[in-house]
């Protein structure tokens, strides 16, 4: 939207679209399909006895958006950069062996879920791109390159148990979380198809600026791995980052 506002005030110099654009700016919103499941086991000491609980995380698809810029370097070759953001609130399953307040060695089984665990992932995609124009209105870009991931993940670090009336039952009364963060490298590949025929459609008026704007469809796959440490121990040696991003957005060409 900022790019569109700048173009509207740029004057008659922007009356015609560039036959070979030098710079393309854009933003995309869509779904990121993540499949990452892991468990952590944490000691639980209660009533002078040692127990344990397990927290199982299952991160699936969520909303993602990005901002991008690409500049032509030589012929059909270009350099690009994207800043992508992914955020997902997940439900975490808790299973615990809670020590008995009276009898030693008679732990009670507790099963519950925690619904406020958040995963945040930022990715800086650096790309080499190949540009190809088709039929005067379609602009296809193939891209790939390294990715710097920045992961922030809430992890359950402790639980509070509530005793039942007969001490045979126990329920989850509360929990504690810690936020871990880490940066790791990976890669990204994908395809961007932009349609620069908005003025011809007539759906958005006939302003000449529409010749420089496009609707885009994007498919991008990125991957990386990470290891987050909790209380001196590694939760999972290979923590999956990235995933498949499918979305649509707006492009502006100069």
């Amino acid at each position: 939207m900022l790019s569109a506002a700048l173009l509207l005030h740029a004057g008659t110099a922007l009356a015609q679209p560039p036959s070979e654009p030098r710079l393309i700016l854009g933003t995309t919103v869509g779904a990121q399909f993540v499949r990452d499941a892991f468990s952590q086991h944490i000691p639980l000491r209660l009533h002078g006895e040692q127990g344990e609980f397990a927290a199982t995380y299952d991160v699936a698809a969520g909303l993602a958006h990005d901002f991008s810029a690409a500049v032509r370097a030589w012929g059909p070759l270009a350099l690009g950069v994207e800043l992508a953001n992914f955020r997902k609130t997940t439900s975490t399953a808790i299973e615990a062996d809670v020590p008995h307040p009276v009898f030693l060695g008679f732990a009670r089984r507790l099963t519950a879920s925690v619904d406020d665990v958040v995963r945040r992932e930022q990715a800086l995609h650096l790309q080499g791109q190949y540009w190809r124009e088709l039929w005067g209105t379609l602009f296809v870009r193939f891209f790939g390159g390294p990715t710097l991931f920045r992961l922030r993940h809430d992890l359950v670090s402790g639980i509070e148990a509530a005793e039942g009336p007969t001490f045979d039952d126990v329920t989850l009364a509360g929990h504690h979380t810690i936020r871990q963060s880490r940066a790791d490298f990976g890669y990204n590949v994908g395809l961007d198809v932009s349609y620069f025929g908005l003025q011809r459609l007539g759906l958005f008026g006939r302003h000449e600026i529409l010749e420089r704007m496009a609707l885009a469809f994007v498919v991008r796959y990125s991957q990386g791995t990470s290891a987050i440490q909790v209380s001196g121990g590694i939760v999972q040696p290979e923590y999956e980052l990235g995933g498949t991003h499918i979305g649509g957005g707006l492009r502006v060409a100069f």
Side-chain angles (χ1 to χ4, degrees), residues 30-187:
Q32 182 163 318
F33 297 91
V34 180
R35 192 60 183 174
D36 192 17
F38 66 96
S39 297
Q40 62 176 130
H41 296 265
I42 296 180
L44 173 65
R45 187 165 185 82
L46 188 65
H47 306 306
E49 191 175 355
Q50 189 69 43
E52 182 184 71
F53 77 89
T56 301
Y57 304 82
D58 190 2
V59 184
L63 184 66
H65 64 278
D66 63 56
F67 301 94
S68 63
V71 60
R72 188 187 296 270
W74 179 74
L77 303 181
L79 299 175
V81 60
E82 284 185 302
L83 179 62
N85 295 273
F86 170 80
R87 186 182 188 276
K88 179 70 175 181
T89 301
T90 65
S91 179
T92 302
I94 302 295
E95 294 185 353
D97 292 322
V98 182
H100 199 282
V102 178
F103 303 106
L104 293 176
F106 284 87
R108 286 81 45 81
R109 192 67 172 174
L110 181 153
T111 58
S113 64
V114 174
D115 299 324
D116 59 350
V117 174
V118 179
R119 170 172 174 156
R120 299 172 180 86
E121 185 179 298
Q122 284 186 322
L124 181 64
H125 304 297
L126 304 178
Q127 301 164 345
Q129 300 186 356
Y130 175 80
W131 293 4
R132 179 71 179 270
E133 182 180 342
L134 299 176
W135 308 300
T137 56
L138 285 182
F139 206 83
V140 181
R141 292 186 286 164
F142 300 93
F143 57 82
T147 297
L148 175 62
F149 292 99
R150 180 68 175 178
L151 175 68
R152 297 178 179 88
H153 204 305
D154 294 341
L155 299 172
V156 179
S157 59
I159 62 173
E160 298 174 2
E163 300 290 346
T166 63
F167 299 118
D168 292 330
D169 299 321
V170 63
T171 59
L172 182 66
H175 67 279
H176 307 281
T177 60
I178 58 175
R179 180 167 299 171
Q180 295 292 312
S181 63
R182 184 181 172 95
D184 287 278
F185 286 98
Y187 69 91

Side-chain angles (χ1 to χ4, degrees), residues 203-233:
L203 300 176
F204 307 96
R206 305 295 299 177
H207 200 284
E208 293 173 345
I209 191 60
L210 292 176
E211 290 288 355
R212 290 181 175 267
M213 301 178 67
L215 296 178
F217 171 77
V218 178
V219 177
R220 181 183 67 243
Y221 178 77
S222 60
Q223 186 180 41
T225 58
S226 179
I228 293 182
Q229 295 186 359
V230 179
S231 301

